[in-house]
Amino acid sequence: MAKVLVVTSGKGGVGKTTTTAALGAALAKTGQSVVLVDFDVGLRNLDLIMGAERRVVFDLINVIQGDANLAQALIKDKRIESLSLLPASQTRDKDALTAEGVAKIIAELREKFDWVICDSPAGIERGAQMAMHHADMAVIVTNPEVSSVRDSDRIIGMLDSTTEKARAGEKMPKHLLLTRYDPQRAASGDMLGTDDVLEILSIPLLGIVPESPDVLKASNLGAPVTIAEPNSAAAGAYMEAARRLMGEDIKVTIPTERRGLLDWLFKWRAA
Amino acid sequence: MSFLSNLFNKRSSAPIARDRLQILLAHERMSVDGDNQDDLLAKLHREIMEVIKRHISVDQDKVQIKMDRGAQCSVLEIDVEVPGLTDRLSKKD
């Protein structure tokens, strides 16, 4: 049974696309078949992060409007066989993203893949609404910073009210992924801590990705961090998050500067 | 030394951020929760005004209706300002 997952945040620049690529590659590495769908019409970037920018021929809007079929638009990853990408259109208007068209594509993707990961654009407009509309579950990417937390709260409200699942009266499972976490600043008390964010947003924690130069390095290379720098702390956090998404019960470790007593003391359970 | 000053002197900013967010989001969740609530408040306002008008004359804008939605319970606050009511009542007597 395929799972449709939306990666969303409200605020821009918190790491949605990085997370989509990294989680998708991590899931695909475990043998699951995964498709990443870019919903950021007009400002696509998932193709660039995945290193597939020169292989885009047809896109999501082309498929919606019947100019191409799904098989023509899907780009197979060259590194992991079970990973594919459906790019967004760079030139078209967001209004081309029709509800019926998106519903049809998601239904088709559900039959072909184990995981359909929808990379939401920033904001709460049409693109973001379409990305979350058919989701079975959501990953909310949040930075430990006031504006990001506020926007995440707003997005959580939308997930619980406007999605198909919410309208059917069901509960949308939501997972918090805290990214760009800086252990040093958290320790000095100048960055919102994990417990602060969890208390405010009150959704279960999927993982904590530390701020890391490896993420930038990976995007320079056009590869998800879980492929480009698999041994980095950030990749480790994403790999663990992927396993949690598959139902494994692994404790979340809060990143610390020095490994030791603190590491052992602050362990969180993912719900 | 810097470690000590960190511990005792410097006020960290994260708790302030947390408190500000908690207050802000309590308000925003209430207002985003919807148009339904606005409708309800408007309706309450209209009907409460009708009842009050039957007995005393009071300005439309002297009646304030607020809803505070909390996690455990919500509070409906109705504030009616009635100027000179005591005079009028005593004259009637």
Side-chain angles (χ1 to χ4, degrees):
Chain A
M1 181 68 187
K3 285 222 169 74
V4 180
L5 172 90
V6 60
V7 178
T8 184
S9 72
K11 191 178 184 298
V14 297
K16 282 182 296 296
T17 302
T18 302
T19 295
T20 303
L23 271 184
L27 284 167
K29 267 184 161 182
T30 68
Q32 305 268 301
S33 63
V34 180
V35 62
L36 312 178
V37 188
D38 193 348
F39 275 83
D40 205 343
V41 176
L43 288 172
R44 74 167 175 225
N45 274 319
L46 189 56
D47 55 334
L48 196 55
I49 297 297
M50 293 297 294
E53 69 275 12
R54 293 171 65 187
R55 299 173 61 204
V56 178
V57 182
F58 294 111
D59 57 55
L60 179 64
I61 303 294
N62 289 140
V63 180
I64 286 179
Q65 298 186 333
D67 304 330
N69 62 38
L70 204 49
Q72 289 173 301
L74 285 173
I75 302 170
K76 253 183 182 277
D77 190 85
K78 285 189 168 161
R79 298 148 299 206
I80 305 176
E81 208 189 330
S82 59
L83 182 62
S84 298
L85 165 72
L86 181 56
S89 168
Q90 184 69 338
T91 50
R92 304 296 184 87
D93 195 67
K94 258 183 268 192
D95 296 333
L97 218 50
T98 61
E100 305 78 47
V102 172
K104 194 165 156 272
I105 287 183
I106 297 288
E108 264 185 73
L109 291 174
R110 268 184 199 274
E111 286 176 15
K112 289 194 164 89
F113 295 91
D114 298 326
W115 290 87
V116 179
I117 306 185
C118 304
D119 183 20
S120 172
I124 53 170
E125 309 288 317
R126 183 173 195 86
Q129 284 174 13
M130 284 296 125
M132 69 168 67
H133 195 79
H134 302 278
D136 301 317
M137 59 206 291
V139 168
I140 292 115
V141 183
T142 306
N143 292 168
E145 177 268 328
V146 285
S147 54
S148 174
V149 175
R150 178 199 213 174
D151 293 358
S152 293
D153 191 76
R154 184 81 196 274
I155 284 290
I156 289 170
M158 284 178 64
L159 285 164
D160 286 335
S161 61
T162 66
T163 55
E164 204 166 65
K165 218 173 168 65
R167 284 180 187 164
E170 291 173 52
K171 239 182 132 50
M172 165 85 70
K174 296 173 289 288
H175 305 274
L176 177 74
L177 190 72
L178 205 57
T179 56
R180 312 195 74 162
Y181 186 86
D182 184 336
Q184 210 167 8
R185 282 198 220 164
S188 71
D190 283 326
M191 191 184 72
L192 284 168
T194 310
D195 44 355
D196 295 330
V197 182
L198 282 176
E199 189 192 331
I200 292 166
L201 296 179
S202 54
I203 58 172
L205 182 63
L206 183 68
I208 306 169
V209 183
E211 171 85 72
S212 156
D214 297 313
V215 173
L216 181 63
K217 220 190 283 177
S219 79
N220 288 341
L221 299 172
V225 70
T226 40
I227 294 179
E229 306 283 339
N231 297 319
S232 66
Y238 278 121
M239 295 296 286
E240 279 191 9
R243 285 166 61 196
R244 286 185 198 104
L245 280 178
M246 290 192 297
E248 274 187 59
D249 185 18
I250 319 165
K251 277 178 191 165
V252 179
T253 317
I254 297 190
T256 49
E257 277 301 273
R258 268 171 283 157
R259 305 208 134 252
L261 185 64
L262 282 177
D263 226 1
W264 174 81
L265 272 172
F266 298 104
K267 283 201 167 169
W268 285 82
R269 265 188 171 269
Chain B
M1 190 61 200
S2 73
F3 171 72
L4 285 180
S5 67
N6 249 351
L7 259 188
F8 297 112
N9 295 331
K10 213 175 89 187
R11 212 182 151 201
S12 53
S13 58
I16 301 171
R18 187 194 54 219
D19 294 348
R20 288 177 56 219
L21 269 174
Q22 275 170 336
I23 293 166
L24 172 74
L25 292 181
H27 280 269
E28 285 192 344
R29 282 173 191 156
M30 194 174 73
S31 54
V32 172
D33 261 1
D35 308 324
N36 291 339
Q37 193 185 305
D38 289 344
D39 289 352
L40 173 69
L41 288 187
K43 204 186 263 177
L44 278 173
H45 191 268
R46 201 172 52 241
E47 292 182 10
I48 287 169
M49 280 300 294
E50 280 169 20
V51 174
I52 293 173
K53 269 187 192 159
R54 261 184 244 156
H55 304 285
I56 41 175
S57 65
V58 25
D59 274 348
Q60 184 88 24
D61 55 358
K62 293 286 162 61
V63 178
Q64 298 290 334
I65 298 178
K66 274 201 311 198
M67 176 102 84
D68 267 318
R69 194 169 284 194
Q72 256 74 49
C73 70
S74 301
V75 177
L76 179 68
E77 190 183 320
I78 304 171
D79 193 356
V80 187
E81 196 184 318
V82 191
L85 180 62
T86 46
D87 289 356
R88 252 186 72 179
L89 286 178
S90 56
K91 267 178 209 164
K92 272 187 180 170
D93 281 342

